[in-house]
Amino acid sequence: MQQSLFRVVCSQLLIVTLSVLPFSARFAGAQEQVRIPTSSLPGDVEDASAIESVLSQGRVLEKEQRWPEALSHYDAALKKYPQHTDLQRRQTLAEIHCELDRRFADSSFANLVRTTDERRALEAFDEVVLKIQTHYVVEPDWQKLTWRGTANLDVALTKPTFVKINAPQASSDQINAFRHELRDSVNTRIVRDRRAARDLVYYSARLAQQRLGIPLSATIMEYCCGAIGSLDQYSSYLSGSQLDEVYSQIEGNFVGLGIELKSDQGSLLIVDVIGNGPAALAGIQPGDRIVAVDGKSTEDITTELAADMLKGEQGSVVQVAVLSPANDAPRELSIRRERVDVPSVEDAMMVDKQNGVAYFRLTSFQKTTSRDVDAALWKLHREGMKSLIIDLRGNPGGLLTASVEVSDKFLTEGTIVSTRGRSRQEDFDYTAHRVGTWQVPLVVLIDRDTASASEIFAGAMRDHHRARVVGEQSYGKGSVQGIFPLSVVKSGVRLTTAKFYSPSGQAISGQGVTPDMAVAGSDVTATAHIVGYRGGTPDIVNDNVLAAGCEAARQLTVAQR
């Protein structure tokens, strides 16, 4: 009963993975050894030179094994040329490399492969594909699903880490011969249903064991990961540690240093630091770079491995070398990992006391968000709030239910969001309730990184004419993901189970929320902009969106009088 209840709750989750790697458009192509179909090449000759330049730059990144940067490079190009075959193929190859590097650096995944026998590995694959068949938003393409698994295995055989562990006695000639056999024997098999998919996986695993001595579990788990990776950009396989991270995001707390980071130029760039967390107490600030972890330079190891090395048990210590923009040499720090509470509401303040303009930044939607928003609203109410700016810029999303709860605080009635999936249990209309509604004039700030659950809130406020939406077109992530733990092994899957629609019936996916007032943003985060007051007005630096939002809030306040 508890397991069933958990799955029902999780089927309503809408989570965007916050990670070093930008996982985007999924299935398009793979390593040349494996045949994967792609769409036809567009006929725009004018862009041929630009595309060739992109591919040339990408080849340099690939040669240097800078796969996260290559993936970001191809992602950006595909936004302009979404149907270009070669870009799709290179993007998928980079994505597979990134996924493999992350898995091989994940001790929980390595332990699972090492301790799982043939029977349990096959049961895990059966469970994965059954969840896909039951819960995925559209009918799965079984051929594509197995093609991606074969591509995973093919690329894994180019990784020294995989070969050293799983095929230490195999020669280069044997590996190359088997990769050709994958193309000629495995990848040409027709797969039309779940049973045929299982048969192919077992055949491939036996073949890999016979030819190269690879344990069956290693091959089968690559097909498990490939099955999920073939679906869409938001569905993914979750190792045991990744599953724990997702639960931590939902709860709003985790064990770590209290930083948000991204891969950048061979280092880990600190994007944000959580107040009173271990990193903040150690003096780390946004804009700093971690250039070494436990004595290992981030230039000598993958950024995924470096990021994973920052994780650990509560109370354990990690050594980091941190380079600040103002310094020429990094400083060495010993930081104790602790449990960190992640606030979903930050910077609740009056930005224009004279006109009663209040502000807070909503960073994510998690279990504590409704409570945090209530606390911020009552604080600002006591300080004289007459209008309110809610800043959703950079908000990647979170729980669908949390977004609905926050929306309900500002709407008296009507639909907040509708979800529609392949299964009827995913079809639901979330509506507002009159009780406890705040009537304060509202401005919502959005940008290109406003995504997922934050788009539900922005879309509901816009469609009901409840707020003036200011900024840039939002990201356009209009789908719901469910988190499904596996019963056979300690891992899980994140599956797209439904699409969501704003109250006007507009699909958010691929379109985003259009602001009422379009204002180009800057590269500086909003938290760095509000630095003080002069004569009752905010001293706002280089933030056109926030300035426009303040003016809109003042106008709404005057209009309400």
Side-chain angles (χ1 to χ4, degrees):
M1 181 63 183
Q2 193 171 17
Q3 172 89 352
S4 177
L5 176 61
F6 180 77
R7 285 177 55 188
V8 171
V9 173
C10 283
S11 70
Q12 302 305 320
L13 297 185
L14 192 154
I15 299 169
V16 172
T17 302
L18 303 175
S19 70
V20 176
L21 302 182
F23 292 104
S24 60
R26 277 284 196 238
F27 196 88
Q31 188 84 318
E32 287 83 347
Q33 291 287 343
V34 178
R35 178 180 62 86
I36 295 183
T38 56
S39 56
S40 59
L41 181 69
D44 191 347
V45 181
E46 295 179 5
D47 294 321
S49 178
I51 292 172
E52 180 52 42
S53 176
V54 169
L55 291 170
S56 177
Q57 295 172 48
R59 284 190 288 270
V60 172
L61 295 172
E62 292 179 19
K63 186 176 181 181
E64 296 175 356
Q65 301 290 300
R66 293 157 61 186
W67 294 109
E69 293 172 59
L71 181 56
S72 297
H73 176 73
Y74 292 129
D75 283 344
L78 281 168
K79 289 180 180 179
K80 188 172 183 180
Y81 308 105
Q83 300 302 316
H84 196 282
T85 304
D86 288 341
L87 289 175
Q88 291 176 341
R89 183 178 295 111
R90 305 319 298 178
Q91 187 264 0
T92 300
L93 174 62
E95 183 179 74
I96 291 174
H97 273 278
C98 287
E99 291 174 346
L100 287 169
D101 288 342
R102 182 167 181 80
R103 282 201 295 278
F104 297 161
D106 187 333
S107 59
S108 67
F109 182 80
N111 183 62
L112 184 151
V113 173
R114 185 177 63 254
T115 60
T116 301
D117 59 23
E118 171 188 338
R119 179 185 60 80
R120 289 176 62 227
L122 280 171
E123 287 177 356
F125 179 79
D126 287 340
E127 190 173 4
V128 166
V129 294
L130 178 59
K131 290 186 184 301
I132 292 173
Q133 186 178 51
T134 305
H135 300 287
Y136 190 57
V137 65
V138 297
E139 188 71 30
D141 182 335
W142 299 103
Q143 190 77 66
K144 182 189 291 186
L145 184 148
T146 54
W147 266 331
R148 180 61 177 258
T150 306
N152 277 14
L153 178 59
D154 178 68
V155 178
L157 289 167
T158 70
K159 300 284 186 181
T161 302
F162 181 88
V163 173
K164 181 179 179 180
I165 295 173
N166 296 296
Q169 305 302 320
S171 67
S172 297
D173 288 342
Q174 288 175 316
I175 290 173
N176 289 333
F178 177 68
R179 294 179 66 202
H180 281 286
E181 193 169 3
L182 281 178
R183 179 194 62 195
D184 297 334
S185 177
V186 176
N187 224 39
T188 55
R189 291 167 67 107
I190 302 301
V191 180
R192 293 194 176 93
D193 54 34
R194 185 159 55 95
R195 180 181 294 275
R198 187 186 194 278
D199 290 343
L200 181 142
V201 170
Y202 188 68
Y203 172 80
S204 182
R206 282 293 186 192
L207 199 64
Q209 184 186 53
Q210 293 167 6
R211 300 291 190 267
L212 304 177
I214 297 175
L216 274 74
S217 61
T219 296
I220 295 169
M221 292 312 299
E222 285 307 319
Y223 275 93
C224 285
C225 298
I228 304 297
S230 72
L231 300 175
D232 61 57
Q233 66 194 90
Y234 304 116
S235 298
S236 60
Y237 175 88
L238 299 171
S239 67
S241 62
Q242 289 173 322
L243 192 61
D244 290 339
E245 285 180 23
V246 169
Y247 293 153
S248 295
Q249 290 176 9
I250 294 169
E251 296 293 339
N253 63 75
F254 63 93
V255 172
L257 305 186
I259 55 176
E260 181 183 341
L261 48 80
K262 70 175 183 178
S263 170
D264 185 73
Q265 300 177 2
S267 65
L268 300 177
L269 175 65
I270 307 298
V271 177
D272 198 9
V273 180
I274 296 173
N276 296 319
L281 296 176
I284 294 178
Q285 298 180 352
D288 289 350
R289 294 177 183 272
I290 294 177
V291 295
V293 181
D294 285 337
K296 295 185 178 180
S297 170
T298 54
E299 293 185 349
D300 298 332
I301 58 178
T302 65
T303 50
E304 295 75 38
L305 177 57
D308 286 337
M309 289 171 65
L310 295 175
K311 305 169 189 174
E313 298 294 326
Q314 184 172 4
S316 61
V317 175
V318 62
Q319 306 287 333
V320 295
V322 180
L323 182 63
S324 298
N327 299 330
D328 295 329
R331 62 188 190 277
E332 299 291 336
L333 299 173
S334 297
I335 307 178
R336 188 179 302 276
R337 301 178 179 96
E338 300 290 354
R339 186 162 295 281
V340 180
D341 290 325
V342 184
S344 55
V345 175
E346 295 182 353
D347 303 314
M349 64 177 74
M350 300 297 296
V351 292
D352 184 348
K353 293 182 180 179
Q354 181 176 327
N355 292 288
V357 179
Y359 168 98
F360 66 75
R361 180 171 167 241
L362 197 50
T363 61
S364 63
F365 289 91
Q366 55 200 33
K367 278 189 175 182
T368 61
T369 300
S370 180
R371 181 194 67 196
D372 294 344
V373 169
D374 281 339
L377 287 170
W378 284 111
K379 171 185 179 291
L380 296 170
H381 175 72
R382 290 190 296 270
E383 294 176 4
M385 173 176 64
K386 296 180 181 177
S387 60
L388 173 64
I389 300 172
I390 298 180
D391 195 342
L392 294 177
R393 291 176 295 174
N395 185 322
L399 291 175
L400 183 153
T401 50
S403 179
V404 169
E405 289 170 355
V406 176
S407 300
D408 199 9
K409 297 180 191 300
F410 300 98
L411 295 173
T412 57
E413 60 185 0
T415 300
I416 293 173
V417 66
S418 299
T419 62
R420 298 290 183 266
R422 184 160 57 99
S423 169
R424 281 194 173 186
Q425 67 182 20
E426 299 296 341
D427 295 349
F428 200 82
D429 297 318
Y430 296 85
T431 57
H433 306 84
R434 186 174 299 274
V435 177
T437 302
W438 288 78
Q439 301 293 342
V440 60
L442 188 62
V443 173
V444 176
L445 308 184
I446 63 174
D447 67 4
R448 290 167 292 179
D449 295 320
T450 300
S452 184
S454 55
E455 291 177 288
I456 289 177
F457 179 82
M461 297 303 108
R462 181 205 59 190
D463 284 5
H464 285 290
H465 306 289
R466 176 62 185 84
R468 187 168 298 175
V469 180
V470 177
E472 301 172 291
Q473 191 87 5
S474 66
Y475 183 85
K477 195 270 182 186
S479 57
V480 182
Q481 278 68 50
I483 307 301
F484 302 93
L486 301 183
S487 61
V488 179
V489 294
K490 174 63 187 301
S491 57
V493 295
R494 185 201 329 258
L495 287 176
T496 297
T497 58
K499 301 289 186 180
F500 68 75
Y501 301 84
S502 70
S504 65
Q506 178 180 336
I508 301 296
S509 183
Q511 301 182 52
V513 176
T514 302
D516 300 309
M517 182 187 304
V519 181
S522 66
D523 293 331
V524 188
T525 59
T527 51
H529 302 149
I530 305 173
V531 295
Y533 308 98
R534 279 199 301 249
T537 58
D539 184 6
I540 299 170
V541 181
N542 298 324
D543 191 343
N544 296 331
V545 177
L546 183 54
C550 287
E551 180 58 32
R554 284 190 284 266
Q555 293 175 3
L556 291 173
T557 302
V558 171
Q560 193 183 51
R561 290 173 184 169

